Amino acid sequence: MAGYVIHTPRDLEPVAEPRASELGPSDVLGFGRPEELLRTTGFSVVTQQDVTDVFRVTCGAIVEAREQLEAELRTEMGDEVYEEDQAKKRRMLIGISEGVLVRSLVVAVKR
């Protein structure tokens, strides 16, 4: 199994967890570390690579592209969905900048 996951850094202080929860996906704190979750479901992590820098660039490019296509996207998606999608990406960018969110590519095999 391989996939990307947004999670908190290993050294995140407990006092920063509310901020990570505010800025990240709704379950960013709910399941524990990616390797722990995989282990409890019978997988062994083969590799876990930090791809936060690439994700930051991609996420920023998505926000910019959506801004350039705002009128068309609002028509297609509706105002509420457009605004929520933009806000979600902007929150993730802030979380990355503040060091409370990271993104990893995780590769695991079933034991």
XYZ file of all heavy atoms in Angstrom:
862
model
N 0.849 -1.156 0.000
C 0.000 0.000 0.000
C 0.900 1.225 0.000
O 1.934 1.242 0.662
C -0.895 -0.004 1.238
C -1.768 1.216 1.310
S -2.946 1.172 2.663
C -1.900 1.525 4.026
N 0.504 2.231 -0.746
C 1.245 3.489 -0.767
C 0.238 4.630 -0.780
O -0.822 4.525 -1.389
C 2.142 3.568 -1.991
N 0.577 5.701 -0.098
C -0.308 6.851 -0.102
C 0.299 8.033 0.606
O 1.295 7.916 1.323
N -0.323 9.177 0.376
C 0.089 10.409 1.021
C -0.786 10.646 2.240
O -1.979 10.356 2.217
C -0.075 11.595 0.071
C 0.887 11.564 -1.087
C 0.490 11.104 -2.330
C 2.197 12.000 -0.926
C 1.374 11.077 -3.392
C 3.090 11.972 -1.984
C 2.669 11.516 -3.213
O 3.544 11.496 -4.255
N -0.181 11.194 3.284
C -0.924 11.475 4.506
C -0.438 12.801 5.086
O 0.755 13.094 5.064
C -0.790 10.323 5.526
C 0.637 10.111 5.953
C -1.674 10.555 6.730
N -1.391 13.594 5.546
C -1.068 14.827 6.256
C -1.175 14.498 7.742
O -2.179 13.947 8.195
C -2.028 15.963 5.872
C -1.869 16.284 4.386
C -1.770 17.204 6.736
C -2.900 17.222 3.833
N -0.124 14.827 8.489
C -0.084 14.490 9.909
C 0.730 15.534 10.653
O 1.239 16.486 10.063
C 0.478 13.077 10.113
C 1.832 12.872 9.519
N 2.991 12.986 10.253
C 2.224 12.578 8.251
C 4.032 12.751 9.467
N 3.591 12.505 8.250
N 0.857 15.345 11.937
C 1.662 16.254 12.744
C 3.096 15.745 12.793
O 3.339 14.548 12.664
C 1.093 16.358 14.172
O 1.041 15.054 14.743
C -0.286 16.984 14.163
N 4.048 16.639 12.992
C 5.435 16.198 13.117
C 5.643 15.379 14.385
O 4.926 15.557 15.377
C 6.243 17.498 13.181
C 5.283 18.609 13.184
C 3.912 18.082 13.065
N 6.600 14.515 14.351
C 6.895 13.626 15.475
C 7.165 14.419 16.762
O 6.777 14.005 17.845
C 8.102 12.750 15.135
C 8.476 11.762 16.205
C 9.585 10.828 15.770
N 9.290 10.102 14.547
C 8.491 9.036 14.446
N 7.880 8.595 15.515
N 8.290 8.442 13.290
N 7.821 15.557 16.651
C 8.214 16.331 17.833
C 7.219 17.436 18.203
O 7.557 18.335 18.961
C 9.608 16.921 17.622
C 9.676 17.859 16.425
O 8.714 17.911 15.627
O 10.699 18.542 16.273
N 5.997 17.357 17.712
C 5.009 18.387 18.023
C 4.679 18.378 19.514
O 4.362 17.338 20.087
C 3.719 18.152 17.215
C 2.653 19.232 17.368
C 3.109 20.523 16.687
C 1.335 18.762 16.768
N 4.789 19.535 20.120
C 4.464 19.681 21.539
C 2.955 19.561 21.734
O 2.185 20.058 20.907
C 4.947 21.037 22.055
C 6.452 21.223 22.014
C 7.177 20.344 23.012
O 6.607 20.063 24.088
O 8.314 19.945 22.719
N 2.510 18.938 22.818
C 1.069 18.808 23.074
C 0.314 20.140 23.063
O -0.836 20.185 22.653
C 1.007 18.144 24.453
C 2.286 17.369 24.541
C 3.303 18.212 23.816
N 0.968 21.224 23.472
C 0.288 22.524 23.469
C -0.011 23.017 22.055
O -0.870 23.876 21.866
C 1.084 23.606 24.236
C 1.245 23.249 25.697
C 2.436 23.853 23.603
N 0.676 22.461 21.040
C 0.454 22.861 19.645
C -0.608 22.006 18.952
O -1.012 22.312 17.834
C 1.758 22.794 18.864
N -1.063 20.945 19.607
C -2.045 20.059 18.979
C -3.360 20.764 18.603
O -3.888 20.520 17.523
C -2.307 18.845 19.855
C -1.139 17.883 19.865
C -1.366 16.670 20.743
O -2.398 16.591 21.445
O -0.494 15.783 20.709
N -3.898 21.657 19.445
C -5.120 22.356 19.031
C -4.927 23.168 17.750
O -5.821 23.224 16.906
C -5.451 23.264 20.221
C -4.817 22.593 21.392
C -3.553 21.958 20.840
N -3.759 23.759 17.592
C -3.479 24.536 16.382
C -3.422 23.604 15.169
O -3.964 23.921 14.115
C -2.166 25.301 16.541
C -1.854 26.231 15.406
C -2.817 27.372 15.329
N -2.348 28.353 14.328
C -3.124 29.205 13.734
N -4.407 29.273 14.030
N -2.639 30.035 12.848
N -2.791 22.462 15.307
C -2.727 21.483 14.208
C -4.135 21.029 13.843
O -4.473 20.907 12.668
C -1.859 20.296 14.600
N -4.950 20.791 14.850
C -6.323 20.357 14.618
C -7.133 21.430 13.896
O -7.945 21.136 13.027
C -6.986 20.003 15.952
O -8.286 19.534 15.753
N -6.894 22.684 14.251
C -7.595 23.814 13.629
C -7.206 23.974 12.157
O -8.048 24.286 11.318
C -7.235 25.086 14.403
C -7.747 26.373 13.810
C -7.174 27.595 14.516
O -6.711 27.499 15.666
O -7.188 28.667 13.876
N -5.947 23.748 11.841
C -5.436 24.017 10.497
C -5.422 22.810 9.572
O -5.418 22.962 8.354
C -4.016 24.592 10.592
C -3.907 25.924 11.325
C -2.442 26.288 11.549
C -4.635 27.025 10.574
N -5.400 21.614 10.137
C -5.266 20.410 9.323
C -6.587 19.750 9.015
O -7.656 20.265 9.349
N -6.520 18.586 8.381
C -7.728 17.802 8.122
C -8.411 17.449 9.445
O -7.769 17.414 10.497
C -7.205 16.538 7.437
C -5.842 16.875 6.963
C -5.316 17.943 7.879
N -9.669 17.152 9.394
C -10.450 16.928 10.611
C -9.901 15.805 11.483
O -10.051 15.837 12.697
C -11.909 16.649 10.264
O -12.007 15.487 9.457
N -9.248 14.828 10.910
C -8.749 13.691 11.695
C -7.231 13.714 11.887
O -6.637 12.691 12.187
C -9.175 12.388 11.052
C -8.683 12.256 9.612
O -8.085 13.221 9.090
O -8.901 11.201 9.022
N -6.608 14.870 11.748
C -5.146 14.942 11.803
C -4.597 14.443 13.146
O -3.492 13.908 13.202
C -4.630 16.362 11.469
C -4.868 17.331 12.610
C -3.161 16.330 11.082
N -5.358 14.535 14.203
C -4.912 14.050 15.511
C -5.594 12.754 15.914
O -5.175 12.097 16.856
C -5.187 15.100 16.597
C -4.470 16.427 16.450
C -4.953 17.398 17.521
C -2.968 16.261 16.522
N -6.635 12.378 15.206
C -7.489 11.291 15.652
C -6.939 9.891 15.576
O -7.335 9.034 16.350
N -6.028 9.610 14.686
C -5.598 8.235 14.476
C -4.157 7.971 14.883
O -3.654 6.878 14.709
C -5.787 7.840 13.008
C -7.212 7.888 12.571
C -7.642 8.841 11.671
C -8.139 6.994 13.091
C -8.963 8.889 11.269
C -9.463 7.039 12.694
C -9.877 7.992 11.785
N -3.480 8.959 15.399
C -2.088 8.762 15.780
C -1.160 8.884 14.584
O -1.557 9.287 13.492
N 0.062 8.522 14.785
C 1.077 8.604 13.730
C 0.765 7.607 12.619
O 0.239 6.522 12.899
C 2.449 8.306 14.333
C 2.723 9.143 15.575
C 3.965 9.958 15.576
N 4.644 10.114 14.344
C 4.561 11.226 13.589
N 3.808 12.221 13.945
N 5.245 11.310 12.475
N 1.076 7.931 11.370
C 0.773 7.019 10.264
C 1.348 5.620 10.462
O 0.667 4.629 10.222
C 1.403 7.708 9.047
C 1.534 9.125 9.419
C 1.702 9.174 10.905
N 2.593 5.541 10.940
C 3.217 4.222 11.111
C 2.520 3.414 12.211
O 2.408 2.197 12.111
C 4.720 4.347 11.373
C 5.122 5.141 12.588
C 5.236 6.656 12.381
O 4.791 7.195 11.364
O 5.774 7.293 13.293
N 2.022 4.096 13.247
C 1.291 3.401 14.313
C -0.033 2.849 13.794
O -0.410 1.722 14.096
C 1.034 4.349 15.483
C 2.291 4.799 16.196
C 2.051 5.988 17.112
O 0.903 6.445 17.248
O 3.035 6.470 17.698
N -0.739 3.664 13.036
C -2.014 3.234 12.471
C -1.811 2.026 11.554
O -2.550 1.045 11.631
C -2.674 4.383 11.707
C -3.983 4.060 11.009
C -5.048 3.624 12.004
C -4.468 5.265 10.222
N -0.812 2.094 10.701
C -0.543 0.973 9.798
C -0.178 -0.288 10.562
O -0.640 -1.380 10.242
C 0.557 1.348 8.799
C 0.109 2.324 7.718
C 1.311 2.964 7.040
C -0.784 1.636 6.708
N 0.630 -0.145 11.592
C 1.034 -1.296 12.398
C -0.185 -1.961 13.046
O -0.297 -3.177 13.055
C 2.054 -0.864 13.454
C 2.751 -1.993 14.147
C 3.885 -1.595 15.083
N 3.898 -0.255 15.625
C 4.639 0.763 15.141
N 5.418 0.575 14.097
N 4.592 1.945 15.701
N -1.114 -1.170 13.558
C -2.299 -1.749 14.211
C -3.230 -2.430 13.219
O -4.070 -3.235 13.621
C -3.094 -0.689 14.994
O -3.576 0.303 14.099
C -2.252 -0.062 16.083
N -3.091 -2.117 11.928
C -3.932 -2.763 10.914
C -3.198 -3.866 10.161
O -3.659 -4.324 9.124
C -4.481 -1.718 9.919
O -3.389 -1.018 9.312
C -5.407 -0.738 10.606
N -2.020 -4.264 10.686
C -1.318 -5.400 10.113
C -0.326 -5.071 9.019
O 0.084 -5.959 8.272
N 0.086 -3.827 8.905
C 1.063 -3.438 7.891
C 2.392 -3.103 8.550
O 2.449 -2.730 9.717
C 0.583 -2.204 7.119
C -0.496 -2.493 6.118
C -1.827 -2.506 6.498
C -0.181 -2.745 4.792
C -2.831 -2.763 5.580
C -1.175 -2.999 3.863
C -2.506 -3.017 4.261
N 3.450 -3.227 7.779
C 4.777 -2.772 8.180
C 5.183 -1.660 7.232
O 5.085 -1.819 6.003
C 5.800 -3.899 8.074
O 5.494 -4.920 8.987
N 5.646 -0.564 7.781
C 6.075 0.565 6.954
C 7.426 0.232 6.331
O 8.371 -0.114 7.034
C 6.154 1.864 7.783
C 6.746 2.995 6.957
C 4.772 2.241 8.299
N 7.482 0.321 5.014
C 8.727 0.098 4.282
C 9.512 1.399 4.221
O 10.713 1.431 4.454
C 8.443 -0.440 2.854
C 9.720 -0.548 2.051
C 7.709 -1.761 2.921
N 8.810 2.476 3.912
C 9.445 3.789 3.850
C 8.411 4.868 4.141
O 7.228 4.702 3.850
C 10.106 4.025 2.476
O 10.809 5.273 2.500
C 9.098 4.074 1.358
N 8.895 5.947 4.722
C 8.073 7.121 4.960
C 8.923 8.324 4.601
O 9.934 8.586 5.256
C 7.604 7.190 6.416
C 6.683 8.352 6.683
C 6.054 8.294 8.070
O 5.913 7.227 8.658
N 5.668 9.432 8.588
N 8.533 9.035 3.545
C 9.328 10.150 3.035
C 8.569 11.453 3.247
O 7.410 11.582 2.858
C 9.609 9.947 1.544
C 10.403 11.059 0.923
C 10.612 10.848 -0.569
O 10.200 9.847 -1.133
N 11.249 11.796 -1.197
N 9.226 12.441 3.840
C 8.637 13.759 4.040
C 8.574 14.477 2.684
O 9.595 14.684 2.040
C 9.482 14.560 5.028
C 8.869 15.898 5.390
O 8.097 16.468 4.596
O 9.176 16.391 6.488
N 7.369 14.828 2.262
C 7.167 15.538 0.995
C 6.484 16.883 1.241
O 5.826 17.428 0.361
C 6.376 14.677 -0.019
C 7.165 13.458 -0.442
C 5.019 14.277 0.539
N 6.679 17.422 2.441
C 6.022 18.666 2.831
C 6.384 19.824 1.904
O 5.512 20.605 1.516
C 6.369 19.028 4.287
O 6.051 17.911 5.121
C 5.603 20.251 4.755
N 7.654 19.953 1.542
C 8.068 21.070 0.694
C 7.378 21.038 -0.662
O 6.918 22.073 -1.160
C 9.585 21.087 0.517
C 10.305 21.473 1.806
O 9.684 22.125 2.674
O 11.489 21.113 1.947
N 7.277 19.863 -1.247
C 6.598 19.730 -2.542
C 5.108 20.018 -2.383
O 4.498 20.697 -3.215
C 6.825 18.325 -3.141
C 6.005 18.119 -4.403
C 8.297 18.094 -3.416
N 4.526 19.529 -1.290
C 3.109 19.766 -1.037
C 2.830 21.253 -0.849
O 1.822 21.765 -1.329
C 2.634 18.973 0.182
C 1.179 19.162 0.495
C 0.216 18.760 -0.411
C 0.784 19.749 1.674
C -1.138 18.932 -0.136
C -0.557 19.930 1.962
C -1.524 19.525 1.045
N 3.730 21.967 -0.153
C 3.564 23.406 0.038
C 3.488 24.114 -1.317
O 2.616 24.956 -1.529
C 4.711 23.981 0.861
C 4.610 25.501 1.045
C 5.834 26.132 1.701
N 6.055 25.621 3.032
C 7.137 24.927 3.405
N 8.087 24.657 2.535
N 7.267 24.511 4.643
N 4.373 23.780 -2.213
C 4.387 24.395 -3.545
C 3.100 24.057 -4.303
O 2.463 24.924 -4.887
C 5.637 23.947 -4.345
C 5.559 24.401 -5.792
C 6.899 24.472 -3.677
N 2.721 22.787 -4.268
C 1.508 22.343 -4.966
C 0.262 23.007 -4.392
O -0.599 23.493 -5.132
C 1.366 20.811 -4.877
O 2.537 20.212 -5.431
C 0.144 20.319 -5.622
N 0.166 23.041 -3.091
C -0.983 23.634 -2.423
C -1.079 25.127 -2.750
O -2.161 25.648 -3.046
C -0.851 23.412 -0.918
S -2.338 23.695 0.022
N 0.045 25.815 -2.723
C 0.071 27.237 -3.086
C -0.343 27.464 -4.531
O -1.086 28.402 -4.836
N 0.105 26.593 -5.422
C -0.263 26.708 -6.838
C -1.756 26.478 -7.038
O -2.390 27.144 -7.870
C 0.548 25.721 -7.675
N -2.332 25.559 -6.279
C -3.771 25.302 -6.373
C -4.547 26.533 -5.928
O -5.514 26.945 -6.592
C -4.163 24.058 -5.545
C -3.627 22.805 -6.221
C -5.684 23.976 -5.370
C -3.735 21.549 -5.367
N -4.146 27.134 -4.818
C -4.825 28.341 -4.329
C -4.754 29.435 -5.381
O -5.765 30.084 -5.687
C -4.215 28.812 -2.988
C -4.703 30.208 -2.619
C -4.539 27.826 -1.881
N -3.579 29.657 -5.953
C -3.418 30.696 -6.973
C -4.252 30.412 -8.217
O -4.902 31.307 -8.758
C -1.940 30.834 -7.360
C -1.112 31.483 -6.285
C 0.357 31.587 -6.672
O 0.668 31.619 -7.889
O 1.192 31.621 -5.755
N -4.248 29.170 -8.678
C -5.024 28.811 -9.869
C -6.514 29.003 -9.619
O -7.244 29.505 -10.486
C -4.731 27.370 -10.273
N -6.971 28.612 -8.449
C -8.387 28.798 -8.111
C -8.758 30.272 -8.059
O -9.865 30.651 -8.421
C -8.714 28.116 -6.789
C -8.767 26.613 -6.898
C -9.085 26.002 -5.566
N -9.245 24.563 -5.670
C -9.304 23.758 -4.635
N -9.232 24.253 -3.399
N -9.444 22.471 -4.800
N -7.828 31.115 -7.583
C -8.086 32.554 -7.561
C -8.215 33.099 -8.976
O -9.080 33.924 -9.251
C -6.976 33.283 -6.806
C -7.042 33.071 -5.313
C -5.841 33.633 -4.570
O -4.880 34.134 -5.208
O -5.846 33.545 -3.329
N -7.369 32.623 -9.873
C -7.423 33.080 -11.261
C -8.698 32.618 -11.959
O -9.187 33.298 -12.860
C -6.199 32.586 -12.029
C -4.914 33.232 -11.575
C -3.688 32.614 -12.222
O -3.778 31.727 -13.048
N -2.519 33.094 -11.823
N -9.221 31.479 -11.558
C -10.418 30.912 -12.171
C -11.653 31.072 -11.276
O -12.631 30.353 -11.433
C -10.196 29.430 -12.480
C -9.057 29.120 -13.435
C -8.755 27.633 -13.450
C -9.387 29.622 -14.836
N -11.592 32.021 -10.362
C -12.625 32.156 -9.340
C -14.043 32.251 -9.913
O -14.940 31.531 -9.457
C -12.352 33.376 -8.463
C -13.377 33.541 -7.370
C -13.057 34.691 -6.439
O -11.959 35.279 -6.515
O -13.932 35.007 -5.615
N -14.258 33.093 -10.878
C -15.615 33.272 -11.415
C -16.169 31.962 -11.971
O -17.314 31.583 -11.664
C -15.623 34.354 -12.490
N -15.354 31.274 -12.762
C -15.801 30.013 -13.351
C -16.029 28.944 -12.275
O -17.002 28.197 -12.329
C -14.772 29.497 -14.370
C -14.597 30.394 -15.581
C -13.463 31.396 -15.427
O -13.128 31.803 -14.279
O -12.895 31.787 -16.454
N -15.127 28.869 -11.302
C -15.253 27.862 -10.252
C -16.457 28.134 -9.356
O -17.161 27.208 -8.950
C -13.975 27.796 -9.421
C -12.769 27.191 -10.145
C -11.515 27.353 -9.308
C -13.020 25.723 -10.466
N -16.729 29.391 -9.059
C -17.908 29.716 -8.244
C -19.189 29.305 -8.973
O -20.122 28.793 -8.343
C -17.944 31.197 -7.897
C -16.973 31.578 -6.801
C -17.115 33.060 -6.460
N -16.189 33.465 -5.424
C -16.413 33.347 -4.121
N -17.547 32.816 -3.698
N -15.521 33.755 -3.239
N -19.205 29.514 -10.290
C -20.371 29.114 -11.084
C -20.528 27.602 -11.072
O -21.624 27.069 -10.894
C -20.232 29.609 -12.541
O -20.166 31.033 -12.523
C -21.394 29.158 -13.398
N -19.421 26.912 -11.237
C -19.423 25.447 -11.325
C -19.636 24.769 -9.963
O -20.400 23.825 -9.842
C -18.091 24.999 -11.930
C -18.050 23.644 -12.533
C -18.967 23.431 -13.714
O -19.209 24.354 -14.505
O -19.462 22.297 -13.820
N -18.942 25.250 -8.953
C -18.945 24.608 -7.638
C -19.971 25.206 -6.678
O -20.384 24.533 -5.734
C -17.555 24.765 -6.974
C -16.405 24.195 -7.748
S -14.797 24.745 -7.086
C -14.674 23.779 -5.604
N -20.284 26.445 -6.883
C -21.101 27.187 -5.924
C -20.196 27.952 -4.975
O -19.059 27.541 -4.719
N -20.691 29.065 -4.484
C -19.890 29.935 -3.624
C -19.402 29.235 -2.360
O -18.237 29.352 -1.987
C -20.691 31.183 -3.224
C -20.926 32.118 -4.396
O -20.158 32.070 -5.383
O -21.881 32.912 -4.326
N -20.276 28.509 -1.699
C -19.931 27.892 -0.421
C -18.807 26.860 -0.569
O -17.848 26.856 0.206
C -21.169 27.235 0.187
C -20.954 26.732 1.589
C -22.243 26.197 2.207
O -23.332 26.724 1.926
O -22.114 25.226 2.977
N -18.917 26.001 -1.562
C -17.886 24.967 -1.766
C -16.567 25.608 -2.178
O -15.503 25.236 -1.677
C -18.352 23.927 -2.816
C -17.232 22.959 -3.165
C -19.573 23.181 -2.309
N -16.629 26.593 -3.070
C -15.410 27.285 -3.501
C -14.695 27.899 -2.298
O -13.496 27.706 -2.112
C -15.730 28.375 -4.531
C -14.536 29.233 -4.858
C -13.588 28.810 -5.784
C -14.333 30.451 -4.217
C -12.466 29.586 -6.064
C -13.222 31.232 -4.485
C -12.297 30.793 -5.412
O -11.186 31.562 -5.671
N -15.440 28.632 -1.488
C -14.835 29.319 -0.350
C -14.267 28.334 0.672
O -13.183 28.558 1.213
C -15.854 30.263 0.291
C -16.144 31.459 -0.596
C -17.319 32.304 -0.121
O -17.769 32.138 1.029
O -17.778 33.138 -0.924
N -14.978 27.252 0.931
C -14.483 26.257 1.886
C -13.217 25.570 1.367
O -12.263 25.356 2.119
C -15.552 25.218 2.219
C -15.090 24.151 3.189
C -14.508 24.670 4.501
O -14.967 25.701 5.012
O -13.564 24.042 5.020
N -13.193 25.216 0.084
C -12.001 24.587 -0.499
C -10.790 25.520 -0.409
O -9.692 25.084 -0.064
C -12.244 24.191 -1.954
C -13.050 22.922 -2.101
O -13.388 22.294 -1.077
O -13.352 22.560 -3.258
N -10.999 26.778 -0.735
C -9.898 27.745 -0.654
C -9.429 27.917 0.791
O -8.232 27.927 1.067
C -10.318 29.108 -1.224
C -10.355 29.172 -2.738
C -8.984 29.059 -3.355
O -8.478 27.946 -3.544
N -8.374 30.171 -3.691
N -10.372 28.035 1.704
C -10.029 28.221 3.112
C -9.257 27.009 3.639
O -8.280 27.155 4.393
C -11.284 28.458 3.939
N -9.667 25.814 3.246
C -9.004 24.592 3.692
C -7.541 24.565 3.225
O -6.634 24.259 4.001
C -9.747 23.371 3.133
C -9.304 22.055 3.704
C -10.046 20.882 3.089
C -11.540 21.009 3.261
N -12.290 19.859 2.724
N -7.314 24.900 1.963
C -5.940 24.916 1.437
C -5.108 25.998 2.123
O -3.947 25.779 2.462
C -5.935 25.142 -0.079
C -6.463 23.979 -0.879
C -5.508 22.824 -0.850
C -5.969 21.751 -1.817
N -5.672 20.419 -1.335
N -5.698 27.161 2.343
C -4.967 28.242 3.016
C -4.613 27.849 4.451
O -3.518 28.157 4.932
C -5.789 29.523 2.993
C -5.818 30.183 1.628
C -6.494 31.551 1.695
N -6.498 32.162 0.383
C -7.585 32.382 -0.341
N -8.786 32.064 0.128
N -7.508 32.948 -1.527
N -5.530 27.179 5.139
C -5.243 26.727 6.506
C -4.078 25.736 6.502
O -3.205 25.786 7.369
C -6.482 26.090 7.144
C -7.523 27.095 7.575
C -8.611 26.473 8.433
N -9.289 25.346 7.820
C -10.422 25.426 7.113
N -11.010 26.604 6.924
N -10.971 24.338 6.619
N -4.065 24.834 5.527
C -2.969 23.865 5.457
C -1.639 24.568 5.218
O -0.621 24.200 5.811
C -3.237 22.827 4.374
C -4.148 21.737 4.850
S -4.075 20.311 3.796
C -5.704 20.361 3.109
N -1.635 25.583 4.354
C -0.402 26.338 4.109
C 0.092 27.014 5.390
O 1.294 27.018 5.676
C -0.623 27.382 3.009
C -0.693 26.830 1.589
C -1.180 27.902 0.622
C 0.666 26.290 1.153
N -0.825 27.550 6.164
C -0.449 28.169 7.443
C 0.110 27.102 8.384
O 1.136 27.309 9.028
C -1.659 28.890 8.068
C -2.045 30.099 7.220
C -1.352 29.314 9.513
C -3.398 30.704 7.578
N -0.554 25.953 8.455
C -0.088 24.867 9.318
C 1.299 24.381 8.953
O 2.127 24.091 9.840
N 1.576 24.315 7.667
C 2.917 23.919 7.215
C 3.924 24.987 7.618
O 4.989 24.684 8.155
C 2.932 23.675 5.691
C 2.128 22.414 5.358
C 4.366 23.581 5.170
C 1.820 22.261 3.880
N 3.585 26.252 7.374
C 4.492 27.354 7.724
C 4.775 27.405 9.217
O 5.885 27.721 9.634
C 3.908 28.698 7.276
O 3.827 28.738 5.882
N 3.758 27.098 10.026
C 3.931 27.123 11.480
C 4.597 25.848 12.010
O 4.911 25.753 13.193
C 2.580 27.318 12.168
C 2.002 28.691 11.942
C 0.679 28.916 12.653
O 0.206 28.026 13.408
O 0.083 29.990 12.444
N 4.773 24.860 11.148
C 5.437 23.625 11.561
C 4.559 22.653 12.322
O 5.065 21.731 12.960
N 3.233 22.814 12.245
C 2.335 21.898 12.957
C 1.749 20.823 12.037
O 1.106 19.890 12.514
C 1.201 22.641 13.705
C 1.785 23.567 14.771
C 0.299 23.401 12.752
N 1.979 20.956 10.728
C 1.507 19.965 9.765
C 2.645 19.571 8.838
O 3.454 20.411 8.438
C 0.359 20.519 8.909
C -0.918 20.925 9.616
C -1.891 21.561 8.621
C -1.567 19.739 10.301
N 2.700 18.297 8.497
C 3.636 17.783 7.499
C 2.880 16.809 6.596
O 1.803 16.326 6.952
C 4.858 17.076 8.129
C 5.726 18.047 8.889
C 4.434 15.934 9.015
N 3.454 16.540 5.442
C 2.865 15.543 4.534
C 3.942 14.523 4.212
O 5.086 14.870 3.940
C 2.358 16.198 3.256
C 1.618 15.190 2.386
C 0.873 15.851 1.282
N -0.015 14.871 0.652
C -0.733 15.112 -0.396
N -0.710 16.302 -0.966
N -1.505 14.187 -0.913
N 3.535 13.261 4.250
C 4.475 12.172 3.978
C 3.905 11.230 2.926
O 2.685 11.060 2.829
C 4.735 11.356 5.245
O 5.385 12.128 6.221
N 4.820 10.640 2.171
C 4.499 9.518 1.304
C 4.885 8.280 2.088
O 6.034 8.114 2.499
C 5.292 9.585 -0.001
C 5.204 8.342 -0.887
C 3.761 8.068 -1.322
C 6.113 8.490 -2.095
N 3.897 7.407 2.338
C 4.125 6.216 3.145
C 3.921 4.990 2.261
O 2.912 4.888 1.541
C 3.165 6.173 4.347
C 3.412 4.927 5.178
C 3.302 7.417 5.194
N 4.870 4.068 2.310
C 4.775 2.802 1.598
C 4.836 1.709 2.654
O 5.732 1.695 3.501
C 5.921 2.625 0.571
C 5.818 1.279 -0.122
C 5.911 3.773 -0.440
N 3.858 0.800 2.605
C 3.776 -0.265 3.606
C 3.373 -1.579 2.946
O 2.781 -1.585 1.864
C 2.761 0.113 4.686
N 3.708 -2.675 3.607
C 3.342 -4.008 3.123
C 2.580 -4.736 4.231
O 2.819 -4.514 5.419
C 4.566 -4.836 2.684
C 5.227 -4.216 1.471
C 5.554 -5.002 3.821
N 1.698 -5.604 3.809
C 0.929 -6.419 4.769
C 1.857 -7.461 5.363
O 2.606 -8.117 4.645
C -0.254 -7.086 4.039
C -1.253 -7.733 4.937
C -2.114 -6.707 5.613
C -3.298 -7.412 6.269
N -4.059 -6.531 7.109
N 1.800 -7.587 6.682
C 2.656 -8.586 7.352
C 2.082 -9.960 7.200
O 0.965 -10.217 6.975
C 2.774 -8.274 8.834
C 3.619 -7.057 9.081
C 3.820 -6.830 10.543
N 2.731 -5.959 10.986
C 2.427 -5.690 12.228
N 3.119 -6.230 13.183
N 1.478 -4.883 12.560
